[in-house]
Amino acid sequence: MPDTDHQALSRAAHWHADHGMAVFPLVPGRKVPAVRKDWEHQATTDHLTIAGTWRKAPYNIGVAAGPSGLLVVDLDQPKNPRDEAPEPWRERGAASGADVLALVAGDHAASLPPTYTVTTPSGGQHLYYRQPAAEQLGNSAGRIGWKIDTRGHGGYVVGAGSITAAGRYLADRSVSPRPLPRWIINALDTTQLADVQRRTTPDLKNTSAYTLAALTGELDKVLAATPGHRNDTLNRAAFALGQLVGAQLLDPHIARDELVSAAGRIGLPRTEADRTITSGLTAGTHHPRRRAT
């Protein structure tokens, strides 16, 4: 990575801290934590710590939503032409997460005020909102609607300025994060979400280190697979990571992106790999992983 990009990433990390966003390093060029300990507690706004960290390598920027007092609404784009909206969204003309969010806002007779927004390399958007003081909103996947996830306490997003093989994360810095609209809180149905989290992730310790180790281990298996066994190995890895997704320990986008990257590196055709990954992740999600404490 050119020195100019390294310097830009360092400046971006400091910019986030200046605006009250707690950051931690992600692996250069990727979206996974570069720290093996609890990334949420390592996230910081301290400029000396940030300078020391980003001096070492051109790390991407992880924004820890909880310590930053944020809830980030992640609006995704379809992965391919066959990735169509399910009903009732398709019937209502939705073709992306942004379309669905606009429809949900209309259903609540509400508006979507402009807020700090980061555009992802895939064309999706991260909408940053300030958490309400009385709420402790966590992560959700599809609870608001198709192609809409949220990241709150226990979650993170890739910060503006970060660079992956797909491109750079770009921010509209003309607007600061606005207070989270009440209708989004209502759409999240947080009481039900808390019940699900208690059922699926009881008393897990050091989940970030555990998850990172599991992710790295499964990717290593895929990369080491020999001809004739590569698709089966990819399917098993996708199932194992899907279990982490189902337990809300791993971001589904990260799981898919990392598996797609690994499959490409061992020469699996993209169409075949996509089918295998989707099948494995879906099956694994329905069997959430539990870890002994």
Side-chain angles (χ1 to χ4, degrees):
M1 184 173 290
D3 285 345
T4 52
D5 284 337
H6 189 173
Q7 294 167 8
L9 286 164
S10 179
R11 289 195 300 270
H14 284 289
W15 181 90
H16 283 82
D18 282 338
H19 291 78
M21 301 181 200
V23 298
F24 63 96
L26 304 180
V27 174
R30 295 172 64 185
K31 301 189 288 186
V32 297
V35 292
R36 291 192 175 273
K37 295 181 181 179
D38 189 348
W39 55 261
E40 190 165 29
H41 286 92
Q42 292 200 45
T44 183
T45 58
D46 179 72
H47 286 286
L48 286 177
T49 301
I50 291 170
T53 298
W54 264 266
R55 187 181 299 119
K56 299 174 184 176
Y59 292 119
N60 274 339
I61 301 153
V63 178
S68 302
L70 296 169
L71 185 94
V72 181
V73 179
D74 179 2
L75 305 177
D76 205 2
Q77 292 278 1
K79 300 297 183 186
N80 55 61
R82 293 173 297 174
D83 189 10
E84 297 182 341
E87 299 299 350
W89 307 117
R90 181 168 53 188
E91 183 181 60
R92 300 178 67 183
S96 67
D99 293 340
V100 172
L101 188 64
L103 291 171
V104 176
D107 292 342
H108 286 80
S111 62
L112 193 63
T115 192
Y116 174 72
T117 300
V118 174
T119 300
T120 71
S122 66
Q125 292 181 312
H126 294 164
L127 309 183
Y128 286 54
Y129 292 102
R130 294 203 308 271
Q131 285 259 24
E135 303 280 353
Q136 294 291 308
L137 301 176
N139 303 326
S140 72
R143 184 165 295 278
I144 296 177
W146 180 69
K147 295 295 183 184
I148 302 176
D149 299 336
T150 64
R151 296 292 173 264
H153 290 276
Y156 71 91
V157 290
V158 181
S162 298
I163 306 168
T164 67
R168 190 184 295 268
Y169 286 72
L170 301 173
D172 177 359
R173 298 180 180 179
S174 62
V175 184
S176 299
R178 296 289 192 255
L180 183 65
R182 172 53 57 178
W183 66 266
I184 292 182
I185 297 173
N186 294 339
L188 283 170
D189 189 11
T190 55
T191 301
Q192 183 178 353
L193 177 60
D195 290 342
V196 171
Q197 289 175 328
R198 281 194 292 271
R199 290 197 304 271
T200 58
T201 57
D203 300 323
L204 289 172
K205 306 294 185 183
N206 300 320
T207 54
S208 61
Y210 167 66
T211 301
L212 180 59
L215 174 62
T216 301
E218 294 300 333
L219 294 175
D220 286 344
K221 292 176 185 176
V222 173
L223 294 173
T226 56
H229 300 279
R230 288 172 174 168
N231 198 61
D232 288 341
T233 303
L234 180 63
N235 183 62
R236 288 194 294 272
F239 180 85
L241 297 185
Q243 290 183 298
L244 295 175
V245 171
Q248 298 186 6
L249 299 178
L250 177 63
D251 186 303
H253 302 309
I254 291 175
R256 177 175 291 278
D257 288 349
E258 293 296 321
L259 287 166
V260 167
S261 177
R265 289 170 64 183
I266 62 174
L268 283 178
R270 179 61 184 266
T271 301
E272 176 186 352
D274 280 344
R275 285 198 299 265
T276 300
I277 291 168
T278 297
S279 175
L281 286 175
T282 300
T285 300
H286 291 130
H287 296 82
R289 184 180 299 188
R290 294 174 182 267
R291 183 166 67 96
T293 59

